[in-house]
Amino acid sequence: QSTSQSTSQSTSQPVNQSVSQLASQPVSQSTNGQGQTSGDVDKRHPPPFPASYYVLSPAEMADNNYPLPIVNPDGTLSLPDDEYVATQPPTEHGNHLSLVAVDCEMCYTCLGLELTRVTFLDAECKVLYDSLVLPARTIVDYNTQYSGITGYMMANVTTSLQDVQAWVLEHISAETLLVGHAVENDVKALKVLHGNIIDTAMLFPHPRGPPYKSAL
């Protein structure tokens, strides 16, 4: 059961400006999200840096296989597929959060890994949303060794991917800092385009370098 319920419905969303700029940036040397290459120090802002300092650059997102908008032949942008949504700019009376941590668990269906559990926390480590999620396609492998999910746990689950996306769109705006480890896997499972991400797998790189990533 989810710890938070949302009555809004998830629908296809336009690709907003903050997400669309991801598709317009060349893939180049990785930066720290502030236009600086790795190893550079911004002497105007000595440590500790604000959280926004660690946001991934468009190049880093592309290099690490984050889902990005599709550039159409006419130059317009679209979502990767019909199941994706994109976070939107905050509204004046919105209920959006400034920072949210995310972790997802996935099981295997006929299409590969799909979302079967998602947890969101706020900056104070308070659980905002925690729910098992029933994939639209039949689960063929619960991936229990890594996901911790079993058939018994999923027996009465009715929460769908669209239910989770509705919560995301209600509480996470395009300006929300989304924090996690190897977050490309989480946003792919959530099928959400978001351009404001802090990825601890990038902040604490594997000693052997890419494509290896340190475990939590």
Side-chain angles (χ1 to χ4, degrees), residues 99-201:
L99 184 149
V100 175
V102 61
D103 186 47
C104 295
E105 303 297 341
M106 286 75 82
C107 293
Y108 285 96
T109 72
C110 61
L111 290 186
L113 288 170
E114 291 199 57
L115 182 69
T116 41
R117 184 170 186 171
V118 58
T119 305
F120 293 104
L121 306 178
D122 67 11
E124 305 300 323
C125 294
K126 174 186 175 183
V127 177
L128 300 168
Y129 188 99
D130 181 31
S131 182
L132 293 167
V133 183
L134 183 66
R137 290 156 282 267
T138 302
I139 295 174
V140 297
D141 183 348
Y142 288 99
N143 197 29
T144 305
Q145 179 182 356
Y146 301 103
S147 69
I149 304 296
T150 65
Y152 177 80
M153 295 169 61
M154 297 296 295
N156 298 310
V157 175
T158 59
T159 301
S160 68
L161 173 65
Q162 290 72 32
D163 293 329
V164 178
Q165 290 175 330
W167 187 92
V168 168
L169 295 177
E170 183 177 347
H171 296 88
I172 298 178
S173 78
E175 295 184 4
T176 300
L177 294 174
L178 190 62
V179 184
H181 191 81
V183 189
E184 74 275 11
N185 298 316
D186 300 299
V187 290
K188 285 178 180 177
L190 292 165
K191 291 188 175 289
V192 169
L193 289 188
H194 186 70
N196 217 16
I197 291 173
I198 299 174
D199 191 336
T200 57

Side-chain angles (χ1 to χ4, degrees), residues 16-81:
N16 65 75
Q17 183 176 2
S18 64
V19 173
S20 66
Q21 69 179 353
L22 300 177
S24 63
Q25 299 293 326
V27 178
S28 58
Q29 183 177 8
S30 294
T31 69
N32 62 4
Q34 298 294 316
Q36 298 169 303
T37 57
S38 301
D40 288 347
V41 176
D42 186 348
K43 295 181 174 59
R44 296 170 300 172
H45 301 288
F49 299 114
S52 58
Y53 178 86
Y54 301 101
V55 170
L56 294 182
S57 69
E60 287 173 320
M61 294 185 72
D63 288 344
N64 286 274
N65 299 313
Y66 276 82
L68 301 173
I70 302 298
V71 181
N72 300 313
D74 62 359
T76 60
L77 300 176
S78 60
L79 300 172
D81 64 46

